[in-house]
């Protein structure tokens, strides 16, 4: 069975609790918008497109609860995590339908279907890039868990594999919450895609040794000029990829492009609790009395991007504004 991060049945949003993977597959059942907001904040569900879809269903649940206005429900959900623009896009898709007197549940279903379809098309568009790239490195989890189905960075890998490509994936462990070691490795292992988890600080050495043919990552927000935010550590991977002439690809659906933002300078970067850095799997690793900083994302300048993989195809940074003008309006 392909992985699905979430689904809506009856009156309930079902989420795979990503904090529990890979040890246990636990499904959380949510019927209230406040529960959805908590699930996004605490990263039961995470990954930019997936939190957008979860928030869209959160709006539908708020409508059914009866005590929320569209604006109040939207505000509650938007306040959960600041960096991924997809969250606001998912909320807005349902808020406008609700205000127009349409069925919010149907609007959320439509939004989910669009994201799944776009991720599939990203896979088809990106697979040819991997024809000559057998060893691909990825950071964080940009798979089905992060997007509902297919993934962004993992979609071209899935499609290329299904077409018989001989691929090997280097999986950055992705401290502090280990989305690579726990989630990307789980998805790849389920599909028997050969891979190895590496410590975050090993990626540069593997690139320098000529053992990485391409890097492909997802994004949480892409500014109009192509600067983009993604999981902390992405920026240094991009710089090292350039230094070693390794192509660096960024895969994303349209919901991740924030065309109102000219460049990456003002992208809001979430700072999470210091315990995520001071602890590992719930166990304190730094001395009592030590403090930490925990920015969850960094911003990579567009000059380090070889190409964006979009639902409309592969786009060089210089052609991004033309591609954005051609994207379907939602
Ligand atoms: O903090 P997270 O786990 O939500 O961060 C997720 C990422 O940074 C992903 O790389 C990004 O959302 C792209 S997902 C397709």
């Amino acid at each position: 069975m392909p992985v699905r991060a979430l689904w809506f049945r009856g009156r309930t949003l079902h989420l795979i609790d990503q904090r529990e993977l890979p040890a246990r597959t636990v499904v959380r059942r949510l019927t209230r918008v406040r529960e959805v907001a908590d699930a996004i904040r605490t990263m039961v569900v995470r990954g930019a497109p997936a939190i957008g879809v979860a928030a869209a269903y959160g709006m539908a649940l708020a409508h059914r609860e009866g005590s929320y206005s569209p604006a109040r429900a939207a505000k509650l959900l938007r306040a959960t995590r600041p960096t991924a623009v997809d969250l606001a896009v998912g909320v807005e898709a349902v808020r406008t339908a609700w205000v127009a007197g349409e069925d919010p549940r149907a609007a959320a279903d439509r939004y989910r279907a669009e994201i799944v379809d776009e991720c599939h098309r990203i896979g088809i568009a990106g697979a040819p890039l991997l024809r000559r790239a057998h060893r691909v490195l990825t950071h964080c989890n940009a798979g089905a868990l992060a997007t509902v189905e297919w993934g962004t960075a993992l979609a071209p890998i899935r499609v290329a594999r299904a077409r018989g490509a001989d691929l090997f994936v280097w999986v950055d462990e992705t401290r502090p919450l280990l989305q690579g070691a726990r989630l990307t490795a789980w998805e790849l292992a389920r599909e028997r895609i050969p891979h190895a988890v590496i410590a975050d600080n090993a990626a540069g050495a593997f690139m320098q040794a000529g053992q990485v043919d391409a890097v492909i990552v997802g994004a949480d927000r892409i500014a109009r000029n192509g600067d983009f935010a993604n999981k902390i550590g992405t920026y240094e991977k991009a710089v090292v990829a350039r230094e070693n002439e390794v192509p660096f690809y960024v895969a994303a659906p349209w919901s991740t492009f924030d065309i109102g933002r000219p460049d990456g300078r003002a992208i809001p970067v979430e700072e999470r609790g210091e315990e995520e850095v001071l602890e590992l799997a719930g166990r304190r690793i730094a001395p009592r009395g030590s403090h930490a900083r925990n920015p969850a994302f960094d911003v990579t300048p567009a000059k380090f991007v070889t190409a964006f993989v979009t639902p409309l195809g592969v786009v060089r940074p210089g052609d991004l504004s033309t591609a954005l003008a051609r994207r379907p309006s939602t």
Side-chain angles (χ1 to χ4, degrees), residues 107-309:
D109 283 343
R110 259 195 323 273
Y111 184 73
R112 177 191 47 77
E114 246 167 54
I115 293 293
V116 170
D117 178 59
E118 288 187 14
C119 287
H120 187 197
R121 284 189 284 128
I122 286 169
I124 293 166
L129 295 173
L130 306 181
R131 223 179 268 138
R132 262 172 265 113
H134 297 297
R135 298 155 304 173
V136 186
L137 183 135
T138 191
H139 190 65
C140 194
N141 171 262
L145 289 167
T147 62
V148 184
E149 291 177 39
W150 292 101
T152 52
L154 290 199
I157 292 172
R158 288 200 154 95
V159 172
R161 261 288 282 198
R163 290 176 181 168
D166 172 24
L167 286 179
F168 177 86
V169 185
W170 294 110
V171 180
D172 287 343
E173 62 173 351
T174 318
R175 271 287 281 155
L177 295 179
L178 302 173
Q179 288 93 329
R182 295 187 305 105
L183 307 177
T184 300
W186 182 74
E187 290 194 33
L188 295 173
R190 274 175 61 107
E191 293 174 37
R192 299 198 162 77
I193 298 178
H195 64 281
V197 178
I198 56 173
D200 284 330
N201 39 15
F206 282 109
M207 286 195 236
Q208 192 181 42
Q211 294 192 43
V212 180
D213 302 313
V215 178
I216 184 162
V217 297
D220 283 76
R221 194 185 287 252
I222 305 173
R224 199 163 63 228
N225 73 340
D227 296 351
F228 73 100
N230 192 47
K231 181 51 57 193
I232 190 78
T234 302
Y235 167 60
E236 52 187 55
K237 306 303 176 272
V239 173
V240 179
R242 171 59 52 88
E243 163 73 11
N244 291 282
E245 296 176 14
V246 174
F248 185 93
Y249 302 113
V250 180
W254 299 122
S255 55
T256 308
F257 288 87
D258 183 0
I259 55 166
R261 201 167 290 267
D263 57 47
R265 273 176 295 186
I267 292 181
V269 170
E270 177 182 13
E271 175 112 16
R272 295 185 61 85
E274 64 172 11
E275 70 288 348
E276 290 181 356
V277 174
L278 298 171
E279 297 173 358
L280 190 56
R283 189 157 163 231
R284 180 95 186 181
I285 50 171
R288 301 265 158 223
S290 289
H291 291 285
R293 289 287 308 274
N294 187 15
F297 301 94
D298 57 24
V299 177
T300 301
K303 68 177 181 185
F304 292 110
V305 178
T306 308
F308 293 93
V309 188

Side-chain angles (χ1 to χ4, degrees), residues 310-322:
T310 77
L312 275 180
V314 175
V315 178
R316 305 278 151 191
D319 300 329
L320 195 54
S321 46
T322 315

